[in-house]
């Protein structure tokens, strides 16, 4: 029997890699995306990797009636919910668009989950719920959450709150918040990856776009932080590892008999500074990267990385790819994009 999994935002960066991981583990992913923030070219990439066309429905997840037709059509084993806006700066300029899109989509999915008795649900959350860690920079799921710095961050924080309250009213369901650290890299085939719209906000796409000449130079946002080299430290996780974490989460949920709600950090457990990323890129690709030191970026966390014990213990999952793998794959993807 087919094990259908609904993947909202399935044509996006993390969604598309998760579609591949689901397919490889014998699930049948059903993508829903309205391609507002995704490029249809990803479908060619998925077809190339999967060896068959993915199942795709062009639907806005905020349109509950349209979304409900999929729940009529497929007996889903579970839902992985990615569909959301994710740019921190843009969320400050357009808060209502962020709250509307990210929260309405989530509420639609949860209410259909309940209505159609779909037992398993995975939510795309973020380490942003921890804010700037007080004391230890390694955060576990027990580390107290803090109020976020941006409307984007609030949508993740509120998303977790909505799920917690929903669970109290529907405690037979099995729900998991995956708190991603910094996803980077691309599929090793270089046929799917990240498509930043306009000027990239995130570090690695800016690095690869600088190396290929789309951007003149990288600005390192501050080198006077209290870290080992003065630049900010993050936990960069290869998107293929991150995708596999979703399959591990879904498999774990499907095996549980009782309802539950859990949050799990998805990172590598290692912190890497911005300047270390620059050095690693130069080393891996054998070319120098033009960069300058600029002022700090408002709202940046200084240093954070994941405690990954719970992911190992509960899901039997841990990251296996390195930052060098991610840089190699992101660079191959950037070069592939240049051929289009
Ligand atoms: C932010 C969000 C995270 C969200 C992610 C999605 C917070 C605290 N973090 O991650 O929740 O999931 O965006 O997009 O809200 N940098 C430069 N130069 C650049 C770009 C970045 O130096 O041109 C530095 C940043 O200062 C930071 C690091 O690179 O130290 C990573 O930045 P970025 O890729 O934007 O991710 P976060 O800000 O960590």
């Amino acid at each position: 029997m087919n094990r259908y999994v609904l993947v909202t935002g399935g044509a996006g960066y993390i969604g598309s890699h998760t579609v591949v991981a689901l397919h490889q583990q014998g699930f049948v992913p059903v993508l829903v995306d309205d391609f507002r923030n995704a490029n249809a070219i990803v479908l060619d990439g998925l077809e190339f990797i999967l060896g068959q066309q993915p199942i795709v429905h062009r639907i806005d997840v905020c349109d509950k009636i349209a979304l409900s037709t999929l729940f009529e059509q497929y007996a889903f084993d579970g839902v992985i919910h990615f569909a959301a806006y994710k740019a921190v700066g843009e969320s400050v300029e357009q808060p209502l668009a962020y709250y509307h899109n990210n929260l309405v989509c989530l509420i639609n999915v949860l209410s259909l989950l309940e209505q159609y008795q779909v037992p398993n649900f995975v939510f795309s959350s973020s380490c942003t719920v921890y804010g700037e860690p007080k004391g230890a920079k390694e955060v576990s799921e027990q580390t107290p959450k803090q109020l976020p710095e941006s409307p984007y961050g609030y949508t993740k924080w509120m998303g977790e709150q909505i799920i917690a309250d929903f669970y109290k009213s529907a405690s037979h369901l099995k729900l998991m918040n995956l708190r991603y650290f910094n996803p980077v890299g691309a599929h090793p085939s270089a046929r799917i990856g990240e498509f930043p719209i306009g000027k990239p906000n995130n570090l690695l796409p800016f690095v690869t776009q600088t190396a290929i000449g789309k951007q003149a130079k990288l600005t390192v946002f501050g080198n006077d932080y209290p870290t080992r080299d003065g630049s900010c430290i993050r936990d960069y996780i290869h998107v293929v590892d991150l995708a596999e974490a979703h399959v591990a989460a879904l498999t774990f949920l499907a095996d549980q008999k009782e309802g539950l709600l859990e949050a799990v950090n998805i990172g590598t457990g290692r912190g890497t500074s911005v300047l270390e990323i620059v050095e690693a890129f130069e080393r891996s690709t054998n070319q120098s990267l033009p960069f300058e030191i600029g002022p700090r970026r408002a709202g940046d966390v200084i240093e954070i990385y994941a405690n990954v014990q719970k992911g190992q213990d509960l899901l039997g999952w841990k990251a296996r790819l390195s930052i060098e793998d991610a840089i190699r794959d992101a660079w191959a993807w950037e070069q592939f994009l240049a051929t289009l």
Side-chain angles (χ1 to χ4, degrees):
M1 208 174 76
N2 282 335
R3 301 188 69 188
Y4 292 108
V5 177
L6 180 66
V7 186
T8 75
Y13 175 43
I14 305 169
S16 57
H17 290 82
T18 301
V19 164
V20 172
L22 284 165
H23 174 85
Q24 284 169 346
Q25 295 300 316
F27 292 95
V28 182
V30 176
L31 283 76
V32 52
D33 207 298
D34 66 359
F35 292 87
R36 215 183 315 180
N37 263 347
N39 194 313
I41 202 166
V42 74
L43 301 181
D44 298 334
L46 285 174
E47 187 175 348
F48 176 85
I49 297 165
L50 305 182
Q52 64 188 72
Q53 282 185 348
I55 302 173
V56 184
H57 294 271
R58 282 180 188 255
I59 287 175
D60 176 355
V61 179
C62 284
D63 181 347
K64 190 175 168 191
I65 293 173
L67 191 64
S68 69
T69 62
L70 299 184
F71 285 78
E72 292 285 344
Q73 197 178 337
Y74 304 92
F76 292 122
D77 259 24
V79 177
I80 305 181
H81 179 53
F82 294 106
Y85 291 146
K86 63 150 200 171
V88 175
E90 187 182 65
S91 79
V92 176
E93 286 152 25
Q94 302 172 32
L96 299 183
Y98 270 69
Y99 286 119
H100 180 267
N101 186 54
N102 293 7
L103 300 182
V104 171
C105 287
L106 172 64
I107 291 166
N108 284 348
V109 171
L110 293 178
S111 71
L112 291 168
L113 207 67
E114 191 173 32
Q115 190 180 334
Y116 288 87
Q117 299 290 308
V118 178
N120 306 309
F121 174 76
V122 179
F123 177 58
S124 175
S125 189
S126 167
C127 71
T128 197
V129 299
Y130 297 117
E132 175 78 56
K134 296 193 170 83
K137 305 301 178 189
E138 181 187 271
V139 294
S140 81
E141 295 79 358
Q142 273 76 51
T143 303
K145 290 198 240 177
Q146 297 191 69
L147 294 181
E149 295 269 348
S150 68
Y152 158 78
Y154 266 102
T155 66
K156 294 299 174 189
W157 194 95
M158 290 163 76
E160 289 204 1
Q161 186 61 43
I162 290 168
I163 291 167
D165 290 334
F166 172 65
Y167 176 63
K168 287 181 198 150
S169 74
S171 48
H172 58 290
L173 296 177
K174 297 174 281 182
L175 313 169
M176 187 169 288
N177 298 320
L178 295 185
R179 294 179 180 156
Y180 313 154
F181 284 67
N182 287 60
V184 286
H187 192 266
S189 67
R191 298 300 292 262
I192 56 172
E194 192 172 4
F195 277 102
I197 293 172
K199 207 171 181 173
N201 297 305
N202 295 116
L203 178 62
L204 209 57
F206 210 102
V207 164
T208 56
Q209 285 200 7
T210 304
I212 211 141
K214 282 190 200 161
Q215 307 294 339
K217 66 167 89 131
L218 170 76
T219 302
V220 173
F221 297 141
N223 69 345
D224 57 352
Y225 284 105
T227 59
R228 51 184 175 261
D229 62 19
S231 63
C232 292
I233 293 179
R234 296 285 184 278
D235 184 338
Y236 295 94
I237 170 136
H238 197 298
V239 67
V240 168
D241 278 331
L242 174 57
E244 286 169 4
H246 290 79
V247 183
L250 200 67
T251 305
F252 166 79
L253 292 177
D255 284 347
Q256 304 309 304
K257 294 203 170 51
E258 306 285 320
L260 82 162
L261 168 60
E262 295 283 353
V264 180
N265 285 343
I266 304 296
T268 65
R270 284 184 302 278
T272 306
S273 77
V274 178
L275 290 169
E276 286 164 354
I277 292 279
V278 171
E279 276 165 32
F281 184 85
E282 291 186 323
R283 214 177 331 109
S284 304
T285 61
N286 227 352
Q287 61 175 317
S288 71
L289 187 80
F291 75 93
E292 62 184 3
I293 306 295
R296 294 178 175 195
R297 182 171 70 174
D300 257 340
V301 164
I302 301 169
E303 177 170 1
I304 188 167
Y305 54 95
N307 178 304
V308 293
Q309 198 60 47
K310 188 171 175 184
Q312 290 181 34
D313 294 346
L314 201 67
L315 309 181
W317 169 89
K318 70 174 188 188
R320 54 188 176 84
L321 298 167
S322 66
I323 189 68
E324 285 76 21
D325 294 323
I327 287 171
R328 179 200 62 221
D329 295 335
W331 180 229
W333 165 244
E334 189 70 62
Q335 289 172 301
F336 172 74
L337 282 177
T339 67
L340 296 179

